[in-house]
Amino acid sequence: MSAEPLLAVSGLETHFPVRRGLMRRQVGSVRAVDGVSFAIAKRRTLGLVGESGCGKTTVGRSILRLVEPTGGSVRFAGIDVRATHGSALAALRRRMQIVFQDPYGSLNPRMTIRAILEEGLVIHRLGTAAERLERMQRALERTGLTAAALGRYPHEFSGGQRQRIAIARALVLEPEFLVLDEPVSALDVSIQAQVVNLLVELREQLGLTYLFISHDLSVVEYLADEVAVMYLGRIVEHAAADALYRAPLHPYTRALFSAVPRIDPARRSRRIVLTGDVPSPANPPPGCRFHPRCPLAERVCREVDPPATVVAGHTVHCHVAARELEKAGGDAETAAATVADMMARPLAGTLVGGGDS
Ligand code: SF4
């Protein structure tokens, strides 16, 4: 990773007030994002994974200030995003774009593709009419469409084509950074690979940097340089993608990975279903937030929030993983194998067969 990351997120918090009663008094807060830190170097991709409701989408939106963070810092190319307002924030937003999950809902059905693509250019006052047209044509071509699309409406396109249009809408502003929020999960499986390959090509051709948010660990493995695993508003494990997939240390990461279909029998592991629901982010459990669902939970897990243990760039927040790492002299693969063995032991009432993603 280069010395100066393009994006640096530190202690990010996004809490939403819970209000009750006639006076709408605040009685609590939902801690959707609760102290998230990571950095992404230029031209790199960070995969942010976790179950639905873990806060990963809120992280992406908070970085772009589509929702206002309540704490922490976000720096983009050295600029303090949270301290930026007015025209400076608008200029920053041109450089940081987002592609949403739903290609049906994210394109206004009453607007032509030309109007959809031109909207951002007009807002940011970019180019003359002729220059804007040229930019729109170029963005469409980059996503595998032609200028003929400009006069048509979203309903005239398939789901995959609509997502290409959504990507073109982001590209037309010539951004440096894209938040890709589950960009292929609403598409047919046969189309997903095409769009993922397009994203890889665009990253190489245009030198883009991605935050790739997904619950699909196979797609993340293919695309990401690093992966961060989120649970209940926090990152519980973060490492280079190959290191994380080779040696997942956190019991939650192992449970997520156990549900990934593998063709290679050597990479298959026993599928783990976590019992119990994800606790409410309005009232997270004390100690380790994962302890009510963790088959390895010990007394300390219920009382003490596990600090970060970092070995060779691999960060994990888990008391048991930290202990096994220490016993293994910092060898993540040995420690991960021990954690896997422990999780494979039958522990009454905490682990059952099946799957969970
Ligand atoms: Fe499980 Fe304890 Fe590790 Fe949390 S700290 S993941 S409860 S073993």
Side-chain angles (χ1 to χ4, degrees):
M1 187 177 280
S2 66
E4 172 75 23
L6 183 65
L7 179 78
V9 174
S10 178
L12 184 68
E13 291 178 355
T14 306
H15 298 177
F16 299 104
V18 177
R19 299 184 192 280
R20 290 229 175 87
L22 275 176
M23 306 300 288
R24 308 299 296 152
R25 280 193 29 225
Q26 184 172 344
V27 294
S29 55
V30 173
R31 302 177 191 185
V33 177
D34 205 18
V36 162
S37 302
F38 58 81
I40 314 179
K42 205 167 176 357
R43 293 171 174 264
R44 305 280 285 178
T45 297
L46 174 70
L48 191 58
V49 304
E51 288 165 298
S52 121
C54 70
K56 55 192 190 302
T57 287
T58 310
V59 168
R61 291 173 192 214
S62 302
I63 288 167
L64 303 185
R65 286 185 52 197
L66 299 177
V67 294
E68 276 301 331
T70 44
S73 82
V74 179
R75 297 187 75 82
F76 178 78
I79 300 166
D80 184 345
V81 176
R82 292 195 62 207
T84 306
H85 304 282
S87 57
L89 179 59
L92 208 51
R93 283 208 172 117
R94 187 198 63 72
R95 300 170 67 186
M96 307 164 79
Q97 288 290 304
I98 185 166
V99 176
F100 297 101
Q101 173 180 356
D102 179 8
Y104 296 91
S106 68
L107 303 177
N108 187 333
R110 292 190 196 86
M111 291 167 76
T112 61
I113 306 308
R114 179 181 185 130
I116 288 169
L117 296 189
E118 198 165 26
E119 194 175 30
L121 295 170
V122 171
I123 289 169
H124 291 282
R125 299 199 180 110
L126 294 173
T128 62
E131 285 163 350
R132 289 202 294 268
L133 180 61
E134 197 189 316
R135 272 195 190 220
M136 289 187 281
Q137 287 169 339
R138 203 164 52 226
L140 283 172
E141 277 160 20
R142 282 200 165 118
T143 57
L145 298 167
T146 67
L150 287 170
R152 296 164 66 188
Y153 287 85
H155 74 266
E156 297 177 60
F157 295 91
S158 67
Q161 288 171 325
R162 287 186 209 202
Q163 201 57 313
R164 288 172 190 269
I165 293 164
I167 295 167
R169 174 174 58 184
L171 292 183
V172 83
L173 295 170
E174 297 179 0
E176 295 148 63
F177 171 69
L178 289 183
V179 172
L180 300 161
D181 187 4
E182 302 265 15
V184 298
S185 48
L187 305 178
D188 288 348
V189 175
S190 57
I191 306 297
Q192 286 185 1
Q194 294 172 17
V195 175
V196 167
N197 286 333
L198 170 67
L199 291 169
V200 171
E201 277 169 36
L202 292 171
R203 181 179 61 187
E204 307 311 321
Q205 285 169 8
L206 304 175
L208 294 167
T209 304
Y210 292 160
L211 175 64
F212 189 88
I213 297 168
S214 180
H215 68 278
D216 186 334
L217 294 158
S218 311
V219 173
V220 170
E221 184 178 18
Y222 180 69
L223 202 97
D225 301 297
E226 292 180 33
V227 179
V229 181
M230 269 191 89
Y231 183 79
L232 209 58
R234 292 199 176 153
I235 289 174
V236 296
E237 188 162 11
H238 180 170
D242 56 347
L244 193 76
Y245 281 77
R246 198 171 54 243
L249 286 162
H250 197 284
Y252 177 64
T253 311
R254 295 208 74 90
L256 282 184
F257 283 17
S258 74
V260 178
R262 298 284 184 200
I263 294 168
D264 179 359
R267 298 190 68 196
R268 282 187 207 143
S269 60
R270 191 167 80 94
R271 209 160 170 190
I272 302 161
V273 157
L274 299 167
T275 55
D277 295 328
V278 181
S280 165
N283 188 22
C288 172
R289 291 182 174 199
F290 186 55
H291 86 252
R293 302 173 77 201
C294 181
L296 305 186
E298 303 174 351
R299 186 171 170 184
V300 65
C301 305
R302 291 186 274 278
E303 296 169 355
V304 181
D305 195 4
T309 301
V310 187
V311 175
H314 190 147
T315 303
V316 63
H317 292 257
C318 171
H319 295 297
V320 170
R323 191 173 64 217
E324 294 308 323
L325 269 171
E326 194 178 347
K327 278 197 223 162
D331 185 309
E333 287 194 45
T334 303
T338 309
V339 172
D341 283 348
M342 293 165 82
M343 291 185 78
R345 284 179 214 147
L347 293 167
T350 50
L351 186 67
V352 294
D356 183 4
S357 65

